[in-house]
């Protein structure tokens, strides 16, 4: 379990909130390419869609937050703790011209599932049991955590520091469990700000990294 949660937290913080969300989606800070590529490779195993689509979906979410055009608003799709579903429509690729220009990310789009399977095979040859505790379980926890961001932080289960045009809230559990992602109302108030936590108690390891 220690290995499981360590790998989950590395994937969650380095791969998820820092690389996919703050760097690739919002370009809220600059980083060397090696860090961008490493974070992407850490994030891919356990995500249900390729990085290109992930970024497009999230940019669409911010543009149409909590409306019928929002690809994962709980106000439209319901408050489901875990959502193992793809967006009902193809992501708007016109929202990701920067990602489309990247040869690395286009290659990862093409080989997304091959890379995902390859990582599992490599871990299997290290230790067959590690496929469970170092690959499947951390990925499953990450799916739960991401789904909680999509649902709990757009519900009444939280508080608001800022008046925004959507229903985003800050949620303590998601904030601490998913690398600072739970300070969602703060994030929606200024999406380009890399610091999600604003209050002293809003621990934000993604920002510190």
């Amino acid at each position: 379990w220690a290995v499981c949660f360590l790998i989950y937290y590395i994937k969650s913080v380095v791969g998820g909130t820092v690389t996919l969300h703050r760097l690739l989606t919002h370009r809220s800070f600059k980083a060397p390419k090696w860090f961008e590529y490493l974070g992407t490779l850490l994030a891919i195993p356990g995500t249900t869609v390729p990085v290109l689509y992930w970024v497009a979906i999230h940019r669409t979410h911010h543009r149409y937050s909590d409306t019928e055009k929002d690809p994962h608003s709980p106000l439209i799709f319901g408050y489901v703790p875990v959502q193992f579903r793809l967006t009902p429509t193809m992501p708007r690729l016109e929202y990701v011209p920067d990602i489309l220009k990247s040869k690395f990310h286009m290659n990862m789009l093409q080989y997304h599932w091959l890379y995902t399977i390859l990582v599992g095979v490599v871990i299997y040859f290290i230790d067959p049991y590690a496929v469970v505790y170092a690959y499947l379980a951390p990925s499953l926890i990450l799916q739960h955590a991401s789904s909680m961001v999509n649902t709990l932080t757009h519900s009444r289960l939280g508080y608001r520091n800022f008046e925004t045009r959507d229903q985003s809230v800050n949620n303590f559990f998601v904030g601490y469990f998913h690398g600072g992602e739970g300070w969602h109302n703060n994030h929606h108030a200024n999406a380009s700000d890399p610091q999600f936590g604003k209050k002293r108690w809003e621990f934000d390891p993604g920002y510190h990294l």
Side-chain angles (χ1 to χ4, degrees):
W1 282 109
V3 173
C4 172
F5 277 103
L6 176 62
I7 292 176
Y8 156 73
Y9 217 70
I10 291 173
K11 287 166 61 66
S12 171
V13 176
V14 182
T17 184
V18 172
T19 303
L20 293 191
H21 196 182
R22 307 185 204 209
L23 177 60
L24 293 180
T25 300
H26 296 293
R27 299 295 180 183
S28 59
F29 69 97
K30 294 182 179 180
K33 287 298 180 181
W34 68 263
F35 181 88
E36 176 182 328
Y37 298 161
L38 174 62
T40 299
L41 293 174
L42 287 172
I44 286 176
T47 56
T48 55
V49 294
V51 170
L52 175 74
Y53 295 161
W54 196 101
V55 175
I57 290 168
H58 195 70
R59 288 180 180 175
T60 304
H61 163 68
H62 274 268
R63 183 179 290 258
Y64 301 109
S65 186
D66 291 330
T67 70
E68 292 186 356
K69 294 183 179 180
D70 185 340
H72 52 65
S73 171
L75 303 180
I76 307 299
F77 297 106
Y79 297 96
V80 182
V82 183
Q83 293 178 321
F84 292 102
R85 64 169 187 80
L86 301 180
T87 182
T89 58
M90 278 297 291
R92 301 287 293 272
L93 298 186
E94 63 267 28
Y95 294 161
V96 288
D98 52 332
I99 307 296
L100 290 170
K101 293 177 182 178
S102 169
K103 290 183 179 179
F104 172 82
H105 290 295
M106 293 309 294
N107 283 332
M108 294 314 298
L109 170 66
Q110 183 176 0
Y111 299 112
H112 174 84
W113 293 111
L114 178 62
Y115 170 71
T116 299
I117 295 171
L118 181 62
V119 171
V121 170
V122 170
I123 292 176
Y124 175 83
F125 281 108
I126 296 173
D127 177 8
Y129 291 106
V131 173
V132 176
Y133 69 76
Y135 186 65
L136 296 178
S139 299
L140 181 63
I141 296 171
L142 186 60
Q143 288 294 327
H144 279 262
S146 298
S147 295
M148 285 190 290
V149 174
N150 293 343
T151 54
L152 297 183
T153 60
H154 283 268
S155 71
R156 296 180 180 179
L157 300 176
Y159 63 95
R160 290 165 65 86
N161 289 332
F162 302 95
E163 288 300 322
T164 58
R165 61 181 177 82
D166 51 45
Q167 302 300 313
S168 59
V169 298
N170 297 319
N171 182 283
F172 275 101
F173 179 75
V174 182
Y176 282 91
F177 191 68
H178 198 1
E181 286 288 310
W183 318 126
H184 209 63
N185 173 247
N186 300 346
H187 170 55
H188 270 261
N190 185 1
S192 62
D193 185 352
Q195 184 176 5
F196 290 3
K198 299 299 182 182
K199 304 293 186 180
R200 287 183 301 173
W201 61 81
E202 294 172 349
F203 178 56
D204 188 2
Y207 174 69
H208 294 303
L209 176 62

